[in-house]
Amino acid sequence: MSDNIIDKGFLTRLKGAYQAKYGIEMDEWSAMVLYEISENFENNNKVAENTIIEIEKASNLIKGQLKPIHFHREGDSFWYGTGRSLPYAIALLIIGVLYYLLISDIFEYRELKSTITNFSNYENLIKEGIIEEQKGYLYLILNEHKENDDSVSVGKEFFITKDKKTVWIPIGRKQE
């Protein structure tokens, strides 16, 4: 509420203006309420005007920071966007490939480690088998076991199951 005191003359002028405009007589309470409403409306207008000015300042600041780009052809915009995002895409691809190689090496290492711990007689297989080097890699050369032989050469022969899904390599006799 305002600290201004409304005098009787102002309320009379306000009631007279209302009666002249609408043709209806207004009592004093209605005139005071109308005055309060108009006073608050003026305050709200000032706040709204200040807000609009601040919004315009912020809008001009944003517009000053933007750099519009205009293209003559549609294809130019595509190549511009590709050029802007291509380094990120290549970096992401390289990171993905490196991550895949690292993870696959970790899993391969774990698999080999578990194979070595599960097969304690692998040393016999390597000692008895023929090891050959080709292109920098060592290979254990085994021959398929002939079914008509009863004896098995440890480290030299292997068995293939009938469904040909698994290979059985004899490592040695079970020690009891």
Side-chain angles (χ1 to χ4, degrees):
M1 249 189 174
S2 175
D3 292 336
N4 299 341
I5 298 175
I6 304 172
D7 62 346
K8 292 268 188 190
F10 178 78
L11 285 179
T12 306
R13 286 191 301 276
L14 186 62
K15 289 189 325 186
Y18 185 81
Q19 186 173 5
K21 186 172 183 179
Y22 298 108
I24 300 173
E25 188 174 338
M26 181 187 295
D27 61 345
E28 285 189 23
W29 280 104
S30 298
M32 285 190 293
V33 170
L34 184 62
Y35 174 75
E36 287 294 321
I37 290 173
S38 67
E39 188 177 67
N40 287 336
F41 185 73
E42 286 177 15
N43 289 338
N44 287 343
N45 272 347
K46 289 178 185 175
V47 170
E49 287 173 3
N50 290 336
T51 305
I52 290 171
I53 290 170
E54 291 297 321
I55 290 173
E56 286 177 357
K57 286 180 186 176
S59 173
N60 291 335
L61 179 66
I62 290 172
K63 285 179 185 176
Q65 292 176 352
L66 295 179
K67 297 175 185 172
I69 300 171
H70 301 285
F71 299 102
H72 298 292
R73 293 175 294 181
E74 292 178 13
D76 293 344
S77 62
F78 171 76
W79 290 114
Y80 175 78
T82 302
R84 300 257 314 167
S85 61
L86 190 63
Y88 299 114
I90 290 172
L92 189 62
L93 179 66
I94 290 171
I95 289 170
V97 168
L98 291 176
Y99 181 76
Y100 171 75
L101 292 174
L102 178 69
I103 293 298
S104 65
D105 282 349
I106 288 172
F107 283 130
E108 185 178 345
Y109 173 77
R110 286 182 183 168
E111 185 179 332
L112 289 173
K113 188 175 179 183
S114 69
T115 302
I116 288 172
T117 55
N118 290 338
F119 298 108
S120 59
N121 291 336
Y122 72 93
E123 291 176 8
N124 290 336
L125 180 64
I126 292 174
K127 284 179 188 175
E128 298 293 327
I130 300 169
I131 297 177
E132 233 180 72
E133 182 179 345
Q134 290 182 359
K135 297 181 183 177
Y137 292 100
L138 294 176
Y139 294 97
L140 180 63
I141 307 297
L142 301 175
N143 297 317
E144 186 173 358
H145 178 70
K146 298 177 182 128
E147 292 184 23
N148 53 8
D149 287 342
D150 287 339
S151 64
V152 176
S153 296
V154 174
K156 294 185 180 182
E157 297 179 340
F158 65 91
F159 298 98
I160 298 179
T161 57
K162 289 183 181 182
D163 60 1
K164 296 189 179 189
K165 290 186 178 178
T166 57
V167 174
W168 294 47
I169 302 173
I171 297 176
R173 295 202 175 271
K174 184 176 180 184
Q175 296 175 356
E176 294 178 23

